[in-house]
Amino acid sequence: IAALRLRLTDANQKLQDQANRDGLTGLFNRRAMDRQIDLLWEVAVAAQKPFTLLMIDVDNFKKYNDHYGHLAGDDCLRSVANCLAATVQQANDSELTSGAFAARYGGEEFAVIIPDAACGTHLGLASTIVEAVAALRLPHEKNAEWGVITISLGGVCADPASGKVGALFRDADALLYKAKEAGRNRAEVV
């Protein structure tokens, strides 16, 4: 019976992982990210601690998919996701942040959530993420200016007393599009 319980526990853990992880990238999926953000936001409000959201989009990804094919597109998304996860983990390990995590928001969009870190912290991390993805040197012939896969990033650090978590997404998304309009391969953060 003990062996059966252990197998059942393992099976339940695998199901939970599948429910919370994006099947392609292994990052948290949108549903898990939304749950975590709601919980972390409540903690930030109660503790009056800052909260940061970085929204990330792979530049010219549709052109990449059209040129290289969907299998290569999947490989590209996995590489970007691995880079994001590693960069965020390094920030956590260096105590630059604590509890930060990356998630796949949808399609070629990702998010990084940074709870309980000084607002200035996200400036350096945002730039580091943009540079780390470009440093992968993944060829992208249709990204004319850069020739490699790049990302655009919009980031907002907010005082939880200033509003609702939904405003964070709206503001980060607006900054993401500002980064795209300013030439891509860059971060726009406030």
Side-chain angles (χ1 to χ4, degrees):
I1 292 183
L4 184 58
R5 283 189 181 144
L6 183 59
R7 285 188 10 222
L8 184 58
T9 300
D10 287 346
N12 282 332
Q13 182 61 47
K14 287 178 184 174
L15 284 173
Q16 188 169 350
D17 286 347
Q18 288 174 351
N20 291 323
R21 296 286 175 179
D22 175 65
L24 180 67
T25 66
L27 297 178
F28 279 118
N29 61 27
R30 173 79 180 268
R31 181 177 46 251
M33 180 195 75
D34 287 344
R35 278 195 312 269
Q36 280 297 109
I37 285 178
D38 287 343
L39 292 171
L40 292 169
W41 183 258
E42 286 179 26
V43 170
V45 168
Q48 290 301 297
K49 299 282 187 170
F51 190 95
T52 298
L53 172 66
L54 308 178
M55 294 297 296
I56 299 156
D57 190 63
V58 178
D59 294 329
N60 298 305
F61 187 72
K62 182 180 180 339
K63 291 180 182 179
Y64 185 91
N65 250 356
D66 290 347
H67 183 71
Y68 294 100
H70 292 285
L71 292 177
D74 287 351
D75 288 341
C76 172
L77 292 176
R78 277 191 287 272
S79 294
V80 170
N82 289 338
C83 183
L84 289 175
T87 305
V88 170
Q89 186 58 53
Q90 287 173 349
N92 284 333
D93 290 346
S94 71
E95 298 180 14
L96 180 65
T97 66
S98 175
F101 66 91
R104 186 171 182 201
Y105 192 71
E108 71 275 9
E109 291 186 318
F110 299 90
V112 172
I113 292 77
I114 310 169
D116 193 19
C119 277
T121 302
H122 74 295
L123 299 171
L125 183 56
S127 295
T128 300
I129 289 170
V130 171
E131 292 166 7
V133 171
L136 293 173
R137 309 294 301 158
L138 299 173
H140 185 351
E141 291 177 22
K142 300 300 180 180
N143 194 358
E145 186 171 349
W146 309 103
V148 296
I149 288 292
T150 59
I151 59 170
S152 295
L153 184 151
V156 176
C157 184
D159 175 352
S162 67
K164 297 191 182 290
V165 73
L168 214 57
F169 279 93
R170 182 193 66 234
D171 296 345
D173 201 46
L175 287 167
L176 170 62
Y177 282 93
K178 185 176 178 184
K180 287 181 165 298
E181 290 169 1
R184 303 177 195 268
N185 191 28
R186 61 183 295 122
E188 291 286 339
V189 293
V190 294

